[in-house]
Amino acid sequence: MSVKEVVLNAVTALFVQFDPEAARDLLVPGYIQHNPMVPTGAEAILGVLPALKESGLTAQVHRVIAEGDLVVLHSTYDNAQAFGAKTQVAFDVFRVADGKVVEHWDNLQPLAGPNPSGRGMVDGAVEVTDLDRTAENKALVTRFVEDVLHGKAPQNIGNYISSESYHQHNPLIADGLEGLGAALKALADAGQVMRYDATHMIVAEGNFVFTASEGMFGETHTAFFDLFRVEDGKIVEHWDTLSEIPAQMAHENGKF
């Protein structure tokens, strides 16, 4: 199986079929968990499957990208009160080795929106294209992260984001560079400065590039998981989830 197939089969066993035996075959016993609320190890997640099934949890995967041993899913979980809200939008990242899932990171945010441009948190383009431009697109987003998100040269934002078509799926931000600028100014005026301090992961496949970062949102230590779609050398679409990084976790693996 491909790494995508391994992960999708594992997610189906866990969150569609709620089948611990099928899932156990796809997770290593020492499964490394980075969700702050779930203990590490395969048995911890397998043990909550009956409760998740009873809750009526459903999962819908909207986007899948993979690079090397990492697979990123962009999904919606409904009846997800066990995860903190009735409907949660999530990025899940899985690491695969020898045909099994060995590590998991995620970032969940309650569904909100539509945003001022009428876009939802999970709608938009889904098809992976331009596989021959994966390295080029990853390099573009990497430079964007360094210059704009990390603040090295924010004035260069026009080198990275399309001035003609930039579809925004953050529930608080409108389309276009103007919408992004207005939102950032409003946050700054309210004392809610958003700061990216470190980017721990960049995963790219074709026209999609995913990043996992941490920083501050106001006074809150925050995880920022972002997905960018690139077209003709510019970022043209963006999805994200933001979640607080708690000081206390159910394991010692950290958020990242």
Side-chain angles (χ1 to χ4, degrees):
M1 290 188 291
S2 69
V3 292
K4 283 186 181 180
E5 290 170 330
V6 170
V7 166
L8 290 172
N9 287 347
V11 169
T12 298
L14 288 167
F15 303 124
V16 178
Q17 300 170 342
F18 305 99
D19 184 342
E21 295 309 314
R24 188 174 282 110
D25 288 340
L26 293 164
L27 306 178
V28 298
Y31 176 74
I32 303 169
Q33 177 66 260
H34 294 276
N35 180 298
M37 307 306 295
V38 181
T40 200
E43 292 305 318
I45 187 66
L46 298 176
V48 301
L49 294 186
L52 293 180
K53 182 178 182 180
E54 180 68 22
S55 73
L57 178 81
T58 61
Q60 181 181 2
V61 176
H62 305 285
R63 292 168 187 84
V64 185
I65 68 168
E67 181 183 10
D69 59 357
L70 297 176
V71 180
V72 180
L73 305 186
H74 188 202
S75 306
T76 302
Y77 294 99
D78 287 312
N79 297 316
Q81 287 86 346
F83 296 159
K86 184 179 187 302
T87 303
Q88 292 271 25
V89 177
F91 284 106
D92 291 275
V93 184
F94 299 88
R95 182 168 64 87
V96 177
D98 299 324
K100 294 194 175 187
V101 178
V102 299
E103 194 164 8
H104 169 249
W105 303 259
D106 65 356
N107 214 44
L108 291 84
Q109 179 178 332
L111 179 69
N115 71 6
S117 297
R119 302 189 191 280
M121 290 181 70
V122 296
D123 57 10
V126 299
E127 183 182 2
V128 176
T129 63
D130 300 332
L131 292 175
D132 59 326
R133 302 184 74 170
T134 295
E136 174 186 341
N137 292 338
K138 185 175 184 179
L140 174 82
V141 171
T142 299
R143 293 193 302 272
F144 168 76
V145 167
E146 294 172 353
D147 279 0
V148 178
L149 298 185
H150 291 180
K152 180 180 177 181
Q155 70 276 11
N156 291 339
I157 190 170
N159 294 342
Y160 305 108
I161 293 181
S162 173
S163 60
E164 299 177 358
S165 177
Y166 177 57
H167 293 178
Q168 177 64 255
H169 295 274
N170 181 295
L172 300 178
I173 304 176
D175 283 356
L177 279 170
E178 298 82 1
L180 178 59
L184 293 176
K185 182 179 184 300
L187 287 173
D189 290 345
Q192 286 287 101
V193 176
M194 184 168 61
R195 188 182 81 228
Y196 282 61
D197 293 328
T199 296
H200 299 279
M201 195 180 306
I202 302 180
V203 180
E205 184 179 16
N207 55 330
F208 286 100
V209 184
F210 166 83
T211 66
S213 307
E214 70 175 303
M216 300 296 294
F217 187 69
E219 299 298 319
T220 303
H221 189 199
T222 299
F224 304 97
F225 283 26
D226 295 275
L227 181 66
F228 304 93
R229 182 170 67 87
V230 181
E231 186 176 274
D232 295 329
K234 290 291 182 72
I235 296 169
V236 296
E237 196 160 10
H238 169 252
W239 303 259
D240 64 350
T241 61
L242 284 70
S243 181
E244 180 179 356
I245 302 175
Q248 300 296 321
M249 301 189 187
H251 48 70
E252 297 181 354
N253 300 326
K255 178 73 173 181
F256 297 98

